[in-house]
Amino acid sequence: MTGNDAVLALVVLTALGFDFTNGFHDTGNAMATSIVTGALPPRVAVAVSAVLNLAGAFLSTAVAATIASGLVNSQDVTLTVVCAGLTGSILWNLATWYLGIPSSSSHALIGGVVGATMAAAGASAVKWQGIVSKVIVPAALSPFIAGAVAAVGTYLVYLFTRGVRERPREHGFRIGQVGSASMVSLAHGTNDAQKTMGVITLALIANGTLESGASAPTWVITACAVAIALGTYLGGWRVIRALGKGLVEIESPQGMASESASAAIILSSTDFGYSLSTTHVATGSILGAGVGKKGAEVRWHIARRMVTAWLLTLPAAGLVGAIAYWVANGIGGTAGVVVIFVVLVLASIAFYIASRHPAVTPENVNAAWTGTVVPAPTTDEVPR
């Protein structure tokens, strides 16, 4: 294996690692409301979501094309740039997952790649028009559109079923939630799995394996689909808890309305090739479902915390990506990429260990909200 081949292999492995973190970071977008209302048991919910993410990844490549050629000049991108950008995106994903903040994996990826590209080739290497039209504008509009659709849907659902007794109404909407949550998972696969396909394609172009403007090969599509599905099955319980219990005390009619709104918007954006944040859409939909139900409690301070993380995602991931590039480039060659890869692995292990003390699990993900993503310990867990 040549030095270039070794670097390419590390870049592909790192990209699939990002796809894995994307899966467990974003599971809550589809399944948080279904889990909290009891429409699906927690482990069943993540299994269903994983299968549908896998299927959705094969349905479209429009977003992959946007990532591969619509954000930065591919001729200015090297394998070191791609690896550094992925490092920035993964570390931001892990940090926000640990804190239970549903930030955008999509924006973390884009920010990391753009930051590393700027560090390597300057701001002129970035296609700013594409960033604005395909990333920033959809990011700014999508939570409001999703929230408005979900709010109207929630209001109408309660209006049309006001004469139905609460128990059968809840049961009926829980069944409906299974369908709507499944659509969000399928939509997530069509949008988010594409982004890693685009990054790997960008790396293959940078290595000379593919020509500029080439589409993602079949093996790339398959590998990304499997990676995001495995990550989804892992669960990401910290973010699921924050979305399901932290924002709104949600009921089944609200859950179905929010999930239906999310699925419609994500699928529409995929068709246009917009690199949309499914996290922004899902969070906006859940907030809209809270607004649409009279008397529902919406915890706006939690929402403000999430929005702050959204605003920081692009620049923070970009800064880490730039630093990673400077370190790797300073060391030089294959050794530089190996060093940042090892640092990334060690940091990932540290985040995982920290997340286990205490852990959020399928057994306590629905525990009463206490103002923090970590549930209050049960009697058996209280130290003596």
Side-chain angles (χ1 to χ4, degrees):
M1 180 179 283
T2 66
N4 235 31
D5 289 338
V7 173
L8 178 61
L10 284 178
V11 169
V12 171
L13 188 60
T14 306
L16 294 177
F18 167 80
D19 216 19
F20 183 79
T21 68
N22 190 354
F24 71 72
H25 197 288
D26 288 8
T27 309
N29 296 343
M31 290 298 175
T33 59
S34 293
I35 290 172
V36 78
T37 62
L40 286 169
R43 294 189 188 279
V44 173
V46 296
V48 169
S49 187
V51 171
L52 291 168
N53 264 306
L54 179 68
F58 290 95
L59 296 182
S60 170
T61 57
V63 175
T66 295
I67 297 294
S69 60
L71 302 180
V72 296
N73 296 323
S74 57
Q75 63 267 27
D76 293 318
V77 175
T78 65
L79 292 178
T80 303
V81 167
V82 177
C83 192
L86 287 165
T87 299
S89 60
I90 291 173
L91 289 178
W92 182 257
N93 259 6
L94 291 174
T96 51
W97 161 75
Y98 174 73
L99 295 172
I101 301 174
S103 67
S104 171
S105 298
S106 310
H107 290 179
L109 177 62
I110 293 165
V113 171
V114 168
T117 301
M118 289 178 65
S124 61
V126 179
K127 297 180 180 179
W128 294 107
Q129 185 176 358
I131 294 285
V132 172
S133 62
K134 297 282 189 177
V135 179
I136 294 177
V137 171
L141 296 180
S142 61
F144 295 100
I145 296 172
V149 173
V152 172
T154 300
Y155 174 78
L156 293 176
V157 158
Y158 278 102
L159 178 66
F160 294 150
T161 61
R162 63 186 184 276
V164 180
R165 286 184 294 120
E166 183 175 351
R167 189 167 180 176
R169 181 179 66 187
E170 285 290 317
H171 178 71
F173 278 110
R174 284 180 184 177
I175 296 173
Q177 270 194 280
V178 175
S180 59
S182 295
M183 285 302 298
V184 178
S185 293
L186 189 70
H188 183 266
T190 66
N191 199 283
D192 276 42
Q194 308 295 317
K195 293 155 190 169
T196 308
M197 295 177 200
V199 168
I200 295 178
T201 302
L202 190 62
L204 293 171
I205 292 171
N207 192 52
T209 308
L210 294 176
E211 294 182 359
S212 181
S215 300
T218 302
W219 71 265
V220 172
I221 297 172
T222 303
C224 291
V226 171
I228 199 169
L230 289 174
T232 300
Y233 184 70
L234 186 66
W237 303 107
R238 302 174 83 86
V239 176
I240 289 174
R241 176 167 167 77
L243 274 174
K245 299 294 290 187
L247 279 176
V248 180
E249 290 295 337
I250 206 160
E251 297 177 351
S252 294
Q254 296 167 283
M256 183 175 170
S258 67
E259 289 159 1
S260 299
S262 295
I265 291 168
I266 295 167
L267 287 171
S268 298
S269 70
T270 300
D271 189 53
F272 288 108
Y274 292 135
S275 181
L276 193 68
S277 167
T278 57
T279 301
H280 291 190
V281 172
T283 305
S285 294
I286 291 173
L287 286 171
V291 172
K293 181 181 182 293
K294 185 178 180 180
E297 179 187 1
V298 179
R299 300 186 181 98
W300 292 107
H301 65 287
I302 302 292
R304 285 193 293 271
R305 181 173 176 238
M306 293 178 181
V307 171
T308 300
W310 296 354
L311 295 174
L312 292 175
T313 295
L314 280 167
L319 178 61
V320 178
I323 292 172
Y325 173 78
W326 288 324
V327 170
N329 190 57
I331 296 171
T334 303
V337 175
V338 170
V339 166
I340 62 171
F341 181 80
V342 170
V343 170
L344 178 60
V345 171
L346 293 175
S348 301
I349 293 171
F351 273 115
Y352 175 76
I353 293 172
S355 74
R356 308 308 297 167
H357 305 285
V360 182
T361 66
E363 288 70 35
N364 64 14
V365 69
N366 273 341
W369 184 256
T370 58
T372 174
V373 71
V374 178
T378 63
T379 304
D380 294 337
E381 296 171 327
V382 175
R384 299 185 179 183

